[in-house]
Structures are given as structure tokens and as C-alpha cells.
Amino acid sequence: MNVLVINCGSSSLKYQLINTDTEEVLAKGLCERIGMDGSVLTHQPAGKDKVTIQAPMPDHKVAVSMVIDSLTDKNYGVVDSLDAIDAVGHRVVHGGESFSEAIKINDEVIEAIKECNDLAPLHNPANLIGIDACQALMPDVPMVAVFDTAFHQTMPVKAYLYGLPYEYYEKYKVRRYGFHGTSHSYVSKRAAEILGKDYNNFKVIVCHLGNGASISAVCNGKCVDTSMGLTPLEGLIMGTRSGDLDPAILEFICKKENISIEEMNTVLNKKSGVLGMSGVSSDFRDLTAARDAGNKRAADTLDTYAYNVAKYIGSYVAAMNGVDAIVFTAGVGENTQSVRKAVSEYFGYLGTEIDDEKNAVRGEEIVISKPGSKVALMVVPTNEELAIARETLALVK
């Protein structure tokens, strides 16, 4: 079966066509600047040269049509016709409390996703646009929604309630939801496979460290806590997001700088994190180079980042009363050995020690702790598209 995985943003569309029998990526690509001047589609068929197509994309329906044309093109396509696409899996950011697992898309599902728009105003409407565009062009192809929040819906009440008047939860569903769920699900399962462990008798902490970053505690096959909250702003220090802070800071800075809460929200999401702290970059390669060149702010930023990650991991060890494995994934987690080492140095009390030679890798599945360590330290590259394809297959086969 061939599953087309779609990830729609407000002005972009990422895709992969995956053969679920072999789990081979037949083609992948990206549509950029949808609805703007300079629209471009970058298409990468397996085993062939990358193709760049510059053409107007006034809306997502046109973008999806161009994706289908690219997949079926006689020169750089990978399937003969639209009939070769058996199902479509859509990434949807927020499912609220309505969805604890992937689901086949119908009118009721679409309405329920719309009800979550207030919780993810930048993402859910774009995800719905992608669904609508695909339905218009492929009305007979089954479609599945896979939610970033679904994996975390197993959290107990004590993990997701905030210390706010309960009426805000009752009226507005203000609670912790968590994100990156497909990544945390895939990586936690894959870690158990690599170690030969029973996933349902396994305690693992997954550190999804990218420009956006989150940590999850997965105990016996279920997520019991995660660092992101109502929105992806809570939790770890990230590339440009602040993560946790004293909420009174917002009013304090708004008054001092004479800015609105909307402007403050932009600061917290786009001008903070390691970018704001260092004044250098949100890219950890730039930060590492600046630190090595003697930039103290860059050094302090990286130290603070590693400390922040380690504190969350430590709290989740306590929450699960132990841990079998700590896993690093996503852009920073998979590729920045100095961050992995700095974080891991806090875990001597767990009876684990990092192996510097094994840690000198980028983007590979590997156990990076020394033999005999009581807790395994691991790198497992994430594969959210494959996770979406698997969940789609399970519902439509």
C-alpha cells in the first residue's frame, strides 16, 4: 500500500509517499510560499535527481495538485497514476481531549478538529486546509488524521491539570496537552525494539530536541507526562521559544517596554530561547562555534540549555520511580554530541556513563552509554512521517 503523508502549514506543505509494505520512502518534497509570490515545489524522488518547480500556488488545492502531478510525472514521478495512492495520512497538531488516537476523517471529525482551532490557531486551520484540498482532488481515497497531541492523552489528571481555577479547565479546556506526539511514540517504541525490551514493561524518557523541543516520560507503553503544555511554548528552552518562566514576567516587561500582550507573545515565541539568550543564533552549530571561539554568552546559553533538559529528565525519573533508557532525538538530539554529553553528565547517580567514542555520531541509531550502565543512553533518529504512515495503514488496511 502507498500512503501519502501530508503536513500542511499556513503557507507550506511537506509530503512523503511511503510504500508501507517495505516502509520505503518513494518520494518526498516541500511546497513553499503558498499564497505568496515566488511559490516553489522541491520534489525528491528516490534514486533520482531533485526537481525544483517554480509556479504560482495561490492556495493549498493547487499545491496538492502539483504534488500529485510530480508524483505521477513520467520523467521524475514514482507512481503511474493517482490510483496508486491508496490512503492519505494528515498531520493535525491539536486534537484537544477529543482524540486519543488516529482516526478516519469524516465530517464529524472535521468539525471536532475545528473546535480545537482556538488551542492551535496557527496550525489547525492550516491542517484543515490541507485535508480539504486533498478531499477535493482525491474524493475516493481514505484519509486519516494523526494528532500531535494524541500520544499524550494517556497522562493522568495529576500530570495535566494546572494550578488555576478549575472553571478554566471546565469552560476552556485549559490543561497540559503536549506535542511532538508522533515522534515520542515512534522513538519510545523503537528504543524498546533496539534494546530487546517489552514496550509494555519499559520506562523510557524521550528527549525530542530540535528548534522546538519537548521531553516525555513513557511508562509501560503509556505517556505519563510531557514538557509542552496547552501550547508548544511551555517546557524546555528552545530555539526561539522561552519555555518555562515566571508568568508575572509578562506583565512586568509589557509595562516596562510599553508593548501589548500580543507583542509579548511574539517575543516569547520568536525572539527568545537560545536565540534571545545568546544573541548569536537559534542554530546549535552556530552556538557551539561561538562558544568555542570564546563567546561567554553562547557558553552560558548552552550550559543553561543542558541544565534545563537535565532537570526535566530528573523530574521524570522521579515521576516514574526509575528509568530504563534516556533517548535523544530530533535535529539537536541526533546531531549535537556536545549537548548530549553535557546533559548526560548529570546522570551519574543513575549508574550510567556516556561513551565518548560512541557519542561521536550524527543521526545514527546507537547506544551511547558504556557497557554495564544501569540506564541506557541512546540516539534514535525520529521518523514522524513513517509513524503517520503506520497509523494510517492500521486504520485503512
Side-chain angles (χ1 to χ4, degrees):
M1 179 179 284
N2 293 327
V3 174
L4 177 61
V5 177
I6 295 287
N7 180 357
C8 262
S10 57
S11 62
S12 66
L13 187 159
K14 290 193 290 187
Y15 65 91
Q16 285 193 13
L17 184 64
I18 297 174
N19 180 327
T20 55
D21 297 328
T22 62
E23 298 195 337
E24 176 190 3
V25 177
L26 303 178
K28 61 182 178 180
L30 171 65
C31 297
E32 298 177 273
R33 300 183 64 81
I34 299 171
M36 296 183 279
D37 292 336
S39 303
V40 61
L41 185 157
T42 304
H43 175 73
Q44 177 65 71
K48 299 179 182 178
D49 292 335
K50 185 181 293 185
V51 178
T52 301
I53 303 168
Q54 292 187 316
M57 295 182 217
D59 55 40
H60 286 72
K61 185 176 178 180
V62 173
V64 171
S65 180
M66 288 178 61
V67 168
I68 293 171
D69 289 344
S70 297
L71 292 171
T72 57
D73 186 89
K74 64 179 182 180
N75 295 316
Y76 49 81
V78 293
V79 292
D80 292 333
S81 70
L82 181 60
D83 293 338
I85 299 175
D86 300 296
V88 182
H90 292 269
R91 178 197 180 214
V92 180
V93 168
H94 218 305
E97 291 186 324
S98 300
F99 301 103
S100 58
E101 57 190 4
I103 190 168
K104 282 186 178 180
I105 296 172
N106 56 29
D107 290 344
E108 290 181 2
V109 169
I110 288 174
E111 288 304 311
I113 294 172
K114 287 180 180 177
E115 291 176 6
C116 297
N117 281 359
D118 285 348
L119 297 172
L122 299 179
H123 298 91
N124 271 32
N127 302 152
L128 285 164
I129 289 170
I131 291 170
D132 182 66
C134 287
Q135 286 181 324
L137 293 164
M138 296 178 275
D140 298 323
V141 177
M143 301 200 184
V144 171
V146 181
F147 301 89
D148 274 12
T149 51
F151 182 65
H152 306 302
Q153 282 296 300
T154 54
M155 285 189 292
V157 174
K158 63 185 178 183
Y160 70 68
L161 280 184
Y162 288 121
L164 293 168
Y166 193 73
E167 63 187 276
Y168 297 148
Y169 170 65
E170 292 180 305
K171 291 194 293 186
Y172 312 121
K173 298 303 179 186
V174 175
R175 51 158 285 184
R176 181 182 310 282
Y177 288 100
F179 298 88
H180 297 137
T182 51
S183 175
H184 288 286
S185 174
Y186 173 84
V187 171
S188 59
K189 291 181 176 73
R190 183 63 188 139
E193 290 175 1
I194 292 169
L195 295 175
K197 300 284 188 179
D198 176 6
Y199 186 58
N200 295 312
N201 188 28
F202 182 54
K203 296 177 180 179
V204 57
I205 295 171
V206 177
C207 305
H208 179 108
L209 308 180
N211 192 52
S214 63
I215 297 181
S216 66
V218 183
C219 185
N220 301 333
K222 294 183 178 180
C223 177
V224 296
D225 209 342
T226 191
S227 58
M228 284 180 167
L230 175 73
T231 75
L233 183 58
E234 186 182 0
L236 301 174
I237 296 168
M238 305 179 217
T240 63
R241 298 177 192 146
S242 65
D244 296 338
L245 45 72
D246 179 347
I249 290 173
L250 277 66
E251 181 184 16
F252 180 83
I253 294 179
C254 283
K255 287 181 176 179
K256 292 289 186 182
E257 295 286 319
N258 192 29
I259 60 176
S260 68
I261 192 65
E262 290 78 14
E263 290 171 307
M264 188 68 230
N265 198 46
T266 298
V267 171
L268 295 176
N269 277 285
K270 297 183 178 180
K271 300 180 181 180
S272 299
V274 297
L275 170 65
M277 294 172 69
S278 69
V280 174
S281 174
S282 62
D283 190 311
F284 279 73
R285 291 168 294 188
D286 298 334
L287 284 175
T288 302
R291 179 199 61 194
D292 293 346
N295 185 315
K296 185 177 185 303
R297 273 179 62 183
D300 289 343
T301 296
L302 288 168
D303 286 347
T304 306
Y305 181 86
Y307 179 68
N308 189 250
V309 173
K311 281 203 300 182
Y312 259 100
I313 293 172
S315 70
Y316 289 165
V317 172
M320 295 193 293
N321 193 22
V323 66
D324 297 310
I326 298 166
V327 190
F328 297 94
T329 192
V332 176
E334 294 170 24
N335 298 302
T336 311
Q337 65 188 65
S338 60
V339 169
R340 294 194 298 258
K341 182 173 176 62
V343 171
S344 299
E345 285 178 343
Y346 286 95
F347 304 134
Y349 72 98
L350 294 175
T352 192
E353 187 177 358
I354 198 165
D355 185 314
D356 290 333
E357 184 176 342
K358 292 179 179 177
N359 187 44
V361 298
R362 291 172 58 87
E364 295 181 21
E365 286 186 349
I366 188 170
V367 176
I368 58 173
S369 49
K370 290 185 176 179
S373 292
K374 293 181 180 178
V375 175
L377 303 174
M378 307 175 68
V379 179
V380 177
T382 191
N383 194 334
E384 294 174 88
E385 290 79 14
L386 178 57
I388 291 171
R390 285 174 173 173
E391 294 200 47
T392 300
L393 173 66
L395 284 172
V396 303
K397 66 180 180 180

